[in-house]
Amino acid sequence: MQNLNKYFEYISTAVIRKPVYKIELLNKEDDTLIGEITHAIEDGSGSISISNQDGARRSASFTLNNYQNQWQEYFKYLSIGQRFKVSLGYDMDGEIIWFPQGVFVYSDPTLQSEGSNKVISISGNDKWALLDGTAGGILDATFQVEAGTSMGKFINDTLKLDIVKDYVTPNIDSSVFDAKTTYDIVHSAGETIADVILEVAANLSCYAYYDENGVFTMRPFDYDEVLSPVYEYTYNDINYISATKTLPINKIYNSVLIVSDNMQSGGVPVVAMLDNNDVTDINSVINGATRKVYNVTDNIAGIYNQKQADERARYELKKVACMQTNISLTSTPLFHLKENEVVTVTDPYLGCNGERFLISGINFSIGTDSSATLDLVKTTRYL
């Protein structure tokens, strides 16, 4: 078991740190280890980008020095869908704490030999590439998910299809495992399994993505206000380097409207409008701000009753209401941070005093020159 207490003490006190990385080269059939790289990445060439969007969330790239021709045997032949795993951490006086950052499908590696320049350039996207047509997932016939299909059964069966071949057991939240689709979802040949999954996820107001361990995950959205902060940044903190706060006023929405084409019993139309009524938000409707409505038009055919409409409205308002305050924060790497977690920021020069922000994106560099940039959006308390 990793010594997390030692890690948290280390990131709170250590001025000079030794970041480390581990690239695990995996067998396509069962993700068993066939090789490992813990050195040889060219300084400044490696990075991992993570977002909190549905679908593809993670990408990675790096360049290996291959001066002794020690790596070409792993990359001279690769098959569609083959992948690698990246972990980052710190060497704390000989004890290493590893934090997985994703499993990635190779995207056009290049081997270069020019004079003394012998390098291999590697890039990849997370395993969503198996679903979105990049490395699989293209439908060769009409694909239908019938109304009343269990979420758990659908995901388990779909990931095992010959056009995907992801045999890792998915992580489907127990609260939605037995949830049923509310209408027939149909996609045509040439579309992708990713298109199908995203429509199913929208129908049931769920996130769908691959996590840091390369496991397909589907779960309902979290309410920001119930999430505990995983780190507290202050302007005089040892890990706080700089931050830029942006107020994207023109992108703010403080209300969401759902209008379904379906009717409830008695001929009552299915309509939901939800306002941002966060009393701490200057742009909330309850504080007298001009109502700016986001009209949801995609994937609403399966909304048949008020409960479904209300759930979808909460899901959509969570996404659009948070855009009112953004912070780009540069930090020494804190590898335990994940997307959709909450941190607090205290910096009087930004007008922030313990303000809560959701991590919408992370960029870690890979190598001895490791650094991190966080994309933060304001948490919401409208429910």
Side-chain angles (χ1 to χ4, degrees):
M1 180 177 293
Q2 298 195 111
N3 189 347
L4 291 179
N5 289 334
K6 184 173 182 178
Y7 163 79
F8 286 115
E9 179 181 357
Y10 182 83
I11 63 173
S12 299
T13 59
V15 177
I16 300 176
R17 304 181 188 180
K18 186 179 180 181
V20 290
Y21 58 84
K22 177 170 60 176
I23 313 296
E24 296 174 89
L25 311 177
L26 305 177
N27 184 303
K28 176 184 175 181
E29 300 305 321
D30 56 8
D31 280 353
T32 54
L33 185 67
I34 60 174
E36 186 175 278
I37 299 170
T38 56
H39 65 283
I41 290 182
E42 302 264 275
D43 285 345
S45 73
S47 67
I48 290 179
S49 295
I50 305 166
S51 76
N52 68 344
Q53 68 184 16
D54 283 334
R57 287 193 171 189
R58 304 166 190 275
S59 62
S61 63
F62 53 89
T63 299
L64 298 173
N65 68 59
N66 191 40
Y67 308 134
Q68 298 178 0
N69 204 25
Q70 69 271 45
W71 305 118
Q72 63 85 21
E73 65 176 295
Y74 295 110
F75 303 109
K76 61 182 178 180
Y77 302 114
L78 291 171
S79 59
I80 297 173
Q82 197 161 340
R83 36 203 178 260
F84 60 94
K85 181 178 181 178
V86 179
S87 299
L88 303 176
Y90 283 116
D91 184 341
M92 305 177 299
D93 300 322
E95 182 177 353
I96 297 177
I97 299 289
W98 292 114
F99 294 93
Q101 301 297 332
V103 175
F104 303 88
V105 178
Y106 288 103
S107 176
D108 301 334
T110 62
L111 290 74
Q112 184 174 355
S113 177
E114 180 181 356
S116 61
N117 187 32
K118 317 292 187 186
V119 296
I120 299 176
S121 297
I122 303 296
S123 63
N125 298 311
D126 69 25
K127 288 169 63 179
W128 196 262
L130 303 176
L131 309 175
D132 68 3
T134 304
I138 300 174
L139 300 174
D140 56 7
T142 299
F143 190 97
Q144 178 172 327
V145 183
E146 294 182 351
T149 298
S150 159
M151 171 84 82
K153 183 179 189 308
F154 161 68
I155 294 297
N156 278 308
D157 292 347
T158 300
L159 295 181
K160 295 174 184 176
L161 292 173
D162 287 344
I163 58 174
V164 178
K165 291 188 174 180
D166 180 7
Y167 301 112
V168 177
T169 302
N171 177 21
I172 305 171
D173 192 275
S174 59
S175 66
V176 296
F177 190 92
D178 293 321
K180 304 291 194 297
T181 53
T182 62
Y183 67 107
D184 290 344
I185 294 172
V186 181
H187 285 261
S188 303
E191 296 184 270
T192 68
I193 289 295
D195 297 325
V196 180
I197 289 176
L198 288 176
E199 185 168 352
V200 170
N203 179 227
L204 300 173
S205 298
C206 291
Y207 294 129
Y209 62 95
Y210 279 90
D211 71 7
E212 68 275 10
N213 291 301
V215 177
F216 180 90
T217 301
M218 189 168 274
R219 61 182 180 83
F221 73 88
D222 299 312
Y223 294 102
D224 299 346
E225 64 179 357
V226 304
L227 299 176
S228 299
V230 295
Y231 193 78
E232 298 177 356
Y233 282 105
T234 62
Y235 72 103
N236 57 359
D237 175 19
I238 189 174
N239 294 302
Y240 188 88
I241 298 174
S242 66
T244 300
K245 182 178 180 179
T246 304
L247 305 173
I249 297 173
N250 293 332
K251 296 182 180 179
I252 294 173
Y253 291 91
N254 55 16
S255 185
V256 162
L257 175 65
I258 306 284
V259 180
S260 173
D261 292 333
N262 301 307
M263 293 286 184
Q264 303 183 72
S265 58
V268 179
V270 183
V271 178
M273 176 171 275
L274 182 63
D275 291 336
N276 175 2
N277 285 321
D278 182 355
V279 295
T280 69
D281 180 2
I282 192 174
N283 289 303
S284 67
V285 175
I286 200 172
N287 281 332
T290 301
R291 178 179 279 110
K292 186 177 177 183
V293 180
Y294 179 72
N295 186 16
V296 179
T297 59
D298 62 310
N299 298 325
I300 60 173
I303 298 176
Y304 284 95
N305 57 52
Q306 196 62 48
K307 180 175 183 292
Q308 293 166 353
D310 292 341
E311 288 176 350
R312 181 66 182 279
R314 285 193 292 270
Y315 173 78
E316 296 293 343
L317 185 59
K318 173 183 168 60
K319 293 194 293 185
V320 298
C322 68
M323 295 304 296
Q324 61 182 296
T325 304
N326 300 343
I327 287 182
S328 176
L329 189 151
T330 302
S331 166
T332 53
L334 304 179
F335 297 122
H336 69 287
L337 298 181
K338 301 176 185 177
E339 75 278 16
N340 275 335
E341 292 184 328
V342 169
V343 298
T344 62
V345 177
T346 297
D347 187 333
Y349 299 95
L350 301 181
C352 295
N353 183 17
E355 196 168 352
R356 291 165 54 89
F357 287 87
L358 191 76
I359 301 174
S360 63
I362 309 173
N363 186 284
F364 290 126
S365 60
I366 306 173
T368 57
D369 58 338
S370 191
S371 63
T373 302
L374 304 182
D375 296 323
L376 308 176
V377 294
K378 187 180 183 298
T379 60
T380 49
R381 298 175 54 193
Y382 53 84
L383 296 174

